[in-house]
Amino acid sequence: MTDEVTAPGHSRIHMAFGMDFLTIPVASIIPLKTLPPDIRLSRTYSQILTSIKAIGHPIESPAVTPDTTNAERWFLLDGHLRIEAMKELGFTEVECLLAPDDDTYTYNKRVNRIPPIQEHRMIARAMERGVSSSDIATALNVQVEAVLRRFRLLDGISPEAAEMLKDTPCSMKVFDILRQMTAVRQIESADLMIGQNNFTVMFARALRAATSENQLVPNKRGKKEGRATPSGQQIARMERELAALQTQVKSVEETYGIDNLHLTMARGYITKLLTNNRIVRWMETHQQDYLCEFQKIAETDPLGSIAKETNT
């Protein structure tokens, strides 16, 4: 099968992998990176292990490229945790996608993580089709209560605010705070979070603190669900902290552009080096510590990392 297609009005488009699956012995697949020693203790690995147990195969097929010097060996480009989990479960074969090029960093760095609202909609759709919450919890390796909480994520959330935040990394705690506001205030808060590109719990709490009493939703006892109205001293402190933050932001803006350019060029150079399998294999043999650090740099999305850290 050819690895090129022609789109109307365009030149040929190079495909990253073939359209057919290839069943390969797990023992014949050679990973191109070393996993951390404690990877089996991570939540991600545990979820992958549980999902493979539940459905009998990985949700996404690993991607491999053939070894040009050995017809019975394949290099693993994507799916290291899946292969590790299959080894632990005793699988001897796995269906893989065949990549014609040995581009080690084509896959994971182009993955878009599922935002919470999209995750909610997937769970809701599955439950509407008859999948029980316990089965979903088993597949995701989480508690049933966590599945039900994700299922009820948008209860009390304005449809307009939900639509605005559907592709953002807002955590469930942020939605808990928005739920304490009226629909109009939820929309205003969502617009402010998007404008500032800040979806942290701390920022949501600041928005709630700045919300007037008549824009907070009363609970069943007729009291406001929001915490006590901040005192004048607390508001003054918040204003001072905000002014200091704005000063810091301005100082960073002066050097951000050139610093980001330098870092992007350095990261691009390292990424290009690691697309060469000969370099990767040599470093794996002679400079494994350097290889691990280079791989971390190549797979890093600076803006995504910052957003993730601020949400914790």
Side-chain angles (χ1 to χ4, degrees):
M1 168 174 187
T2 180
D3 62 350
E4 291 185 340
V5 294
T6 303
H10 296 78
S11 58
R12 293 199 166 198
I13 301 172
H14 190 72
M15 296 178 65
F17 47 81
M19 300 296 290
D20 297 325
F21 291 96
L22 186 66
T23 301
I24 299 173
V26 174
S28 300
I29 299 175
I30 309 299
L32 289 181
K33 70 178 181 180
T34 304
L35 295 175
D38 59 347
I39 191 63
R40 293 193 177 193
L41 302 178
S42 68
R43 181 183 176 189
T44 301
Y45 180 81
S46 180
Q47 288 179 328
I48 291 173
L49 190 71
T50 305
S51 66
I52 294 176
K53 283 182 182 178
I55 64 178
H57 58 81
I59 296 175
E60 295 181 67
S61 296
V64 299
T65 189
D67 182 356
T68 56
T69 63
N70 188 339
E72 296 182 357
R73 190 165 63 177
W74 308 82
F75 293 119
L76 180 62
L77 302 181
D78 179 60
H80 289 74
L81 291 182
R82 282 164 265 163
I83 292 297
E84 189 69 20
M86 296 188 77
K87 288 179 180 178
E88 180 176 338
L89 295 173
F91 282 80
T92 58
E93 293 183 332
V94 59
E95 284 191 342
C96 298
L97 287 170
L98 179 60
D101 296 325
D102 57 351
D103 185 0
T104 311
Y105 294 92
T106 298
Y107 307 96
N108 278 334
K109 73 176 183 179
R110 288 174 170 77
V111 172
N112 292 320
R113 304 301 173 190
I114 300 177
I117 288 183
Q118 302 298 349
E119 185 181 37
H120 152 79
R121 290 174 177 172
M122 291 175 64
I123 291 175
R125 191 176 301 116
M127 294 180 71
E128 288 171 359
R129 294 176 178 176
V131 182
S132 67
S133 58
S134 59
D135 288 341
I136 297 174
T138 299
L140 297 178
N141 193 31
V142 297
Q143 297 294 325
V144 175
E145 291 77 10
V147 172
L148 294 177
R149 190 180 178 200
R150 288 177 172 86
F151 177 72
R152 296 191 292 264
L153 179 70
L154 298 184
D155 288 358
I157 300 297
S158 161
E160 292 82 3
E163 180 65 22
M164 294 170 68
L165 298 173
K166 67 179 181 180
D167 296 321
T168 64
C170 282
S171 67
M172 287 189 287
K173 290 183 179 180
V174 170
F175 287 101
D176 289 340
I177 295 170
L178 290 176
R179 201 173 286 114
Q180 299 170 17
M181 307 175 188
T182 62
V184 173
R185 181 57 177 168
Q186 288 178 13
I187 296 171
E188 292 175 353
S189 299
D191 186 54
L192 286 169
M193 286 189 287
I194 293 171
Q196 295 294 320
N197 194 30
N198 189 338
F199 306 98
T200 63
V201 174
M202 188 66 67
F203 188 56
R205 287 174 179 167
L207 292 174
R208 181 185 59 187
T211 301
S212 61
E213 286 290 316
N214 61 356
Q215 289 185 306
L216 293 175
V217 177
N219 63 14
K220 295 180 180 179
R221 293 172 295 181
K223 296 181 180 180
K224 305 301 179 184
E225 254 185 63
R227 294 178 181 175
T229 303
S231 64
Q233 183 179 3
Q234 291 173 321
I235 293 176
R237 180 183 175 185
M238 290 176 60
E239 290 176 345
R240 289 196 301 271
E241 291 177 350
L242 181 59
L245 179 61
Q246 289 174 333
T247 302
Q248 293 175 8
V249 170
K250 289 181 180 178
S251 66
V252 170
E253 284 178 347
E254 295 177 359
T255 59
Y256 175 80
I258 190 66
D259 290 345
N260 190 52
L261 176 61
H262 290 162
L263 290 172
T264 301
M265 292 178 65
R267 178 177 173 273
Y269 177 72
I270 291 174
T271 301
K272 187 170 181 62
L273 283 179
L274 294 180
T275 58
N276 187 319
N277 280 334
R278 295 178 61 186
I279 294 177
V280 172
R281 288 193 291 271
W282 184 90
M283 294 188 69
E284 189 173 29
T285 303
H286 301 284
Q287 298 289 345
Q288 193 173 66
D289 291 343
Y290 285 3
L291 175 61
C292 291
E293 295 304 318
F294 282 0
Q295 288 172 336
K296 290 178 184 178
I297 293 172
E299 293 177 341
T300 297
D301 178 1
L303 294 180
S305 300
I306 293 172
K308 183 178 179 180
E309 290 174 2
T310 54
N311 273 289
T312 59

